[in-house]
Amino acid sequence: TQLLEQSPQFLSIQEGENLTVYCNSSSVFSSLQWYRQEPGEGPVLLVTVVTGGEVKKLKRLTFQFGDARKDSSLHITAAQPGDTGLYLCAGGMNRDDKIIFGKGTRLHILP
Amino acid sequence: SQTIHQWPATLVQPVGSPLSLECTVEGTSNPNLYWYRQAAGRGLQLLFYSVGIGQISSEVPQNLSASRPQDRQFILSSKKLLLSDSGFYLCAWSVGWAEAFFGQGTRLTVV
């Protein structure tokens, strides 16, 4: 059973377009993070959200945590080729528990 | 500041040979430690995680084992490698369920 479902699995769009990727669960998470991974490297943390309804912005990236803390979204405005990569969401339910990862959304921005 | 060291970066091993990948963390105490494997173009598969010295949880049955001989040292081992053990191995640490920080990864090719 996959606790964190990410959609879509793959997304290929033209430079300049907007996009949203999703991370959904039937469970409540205390903390949810988004990472980006480039080929041959480890994932790098982009943002952490902990409060239901929280919205965080990182330049052209907007992250939202659902009110019920069961889902999250990542919106990219005016995508650029440098945004290409694997986007992973991850979360923790209990303070002493392990972090759970989704399977990721592979994003490809065409120049 | 905290850092994580994972080595080697690449490894080519014959089938049936042993394996030892090492990961060490600096700058934090009693971290949660993780070993992940990632197939090409895919998400992260959690292999092992540890919340303390000598405490190892295995997520999937496999040809691999893990050990944590010291607080900030996590070792991934195999007595006899299989072709199916090839992949990209990532070590990570976290403080509880908070964000994970990854090493640079080891590309293992079993031939």
Side-chain angles (χ1 to χ4, degrees), chain A residues 10 30-31 33 35 37 40-43 45 48 50 86 88 91-99 101-104 106, chain B residues 32 34 36 38 40-44 46 49 51 59 88 90 94-105 107:
Chain A
F10 304 96
S30 300
S31 163
Q33 305 112 41
Y35 299 78
Q37 184 183 21
E41 299 181 6
L45 179 70
T48 299
V50 297
L86 178 66
L88 296 156
M93 287 184 275
N94 302 304
R95 183 169 292 274
D96 296 323
D97 206 354
K98 62 187 176 184
I99 294 176
F101 276 84
K103 292 190 174 182
R106 185 158 299 280
Chain B
N32 285 359
Y34 307 80
Y36 293 90
Q38 187 174 34
R42 308 292 292 274
L44 303 175
L46 180 61
Y49 81 101
V51 299
E59 293 296 302
F88 189 51
L90 287 158
S94 72
V95 176
W97 47 263
E99 49 263 27
F101 298 92
F102 287 82
Q104 285 300 298
R107 172 77 55 197

